[in-house]
Amino acid sequence: MRAHAQTIPEPTETQIINGCELYIYKAHDSVSAEFSNPVLFVEGFDLYNDMDWEVWYPIFNQEN
């Protein structure tokens, strides 16, 4: 299952927390250091492991 082709942007910020890589994508108009409506995507959500970030990003980014 593949979503329409879309270029996946580089994360705004990347952090390592307890050995896990955290990619942070801020809204284009975000100037605040705080998050107001964060979405946390945790590996393991895809039970069959057949969808990678290139599939999930366009799904989550449908409303920008």
Side-chain angles (χ1 to χ4, degrees):
M1 174 163 72
R2 292 276 177 202
H4 60 81
Q6 180 178 10
T7 302
I8 309 302
E10 292 295 317
T12 307
E13 184 179 338
T14 303
Q15 295 185 7
I16 305 293
I17 300 176
N18 294 329
C20 298
E21 204 164 13
L22 174 67
Y23 300 113
I24 300 171
Y25 290 87
K26 286 188 154 188
H28 297 291
D29 59 353
S30 176
V31 293
S32 172
E34 296 181 11
F35 298 109
S36 58
N37 294 308
V39 173
L40 180 61
F41 182 85
V42 179
E43 184 178 358
F45 181 75
D46 176 16
L47 298 175
Y48 301 104
N49 200 26
D50 62 353
M51 296 176 73
D52 55 17
W53 186 239
E54 286 74 24
V55 175
W56 283 111
Y57 183 88
I59 292 170
F60 285 123
N61 195 44
Q62 288 180 6
E63 298 296 326
N64 284 328

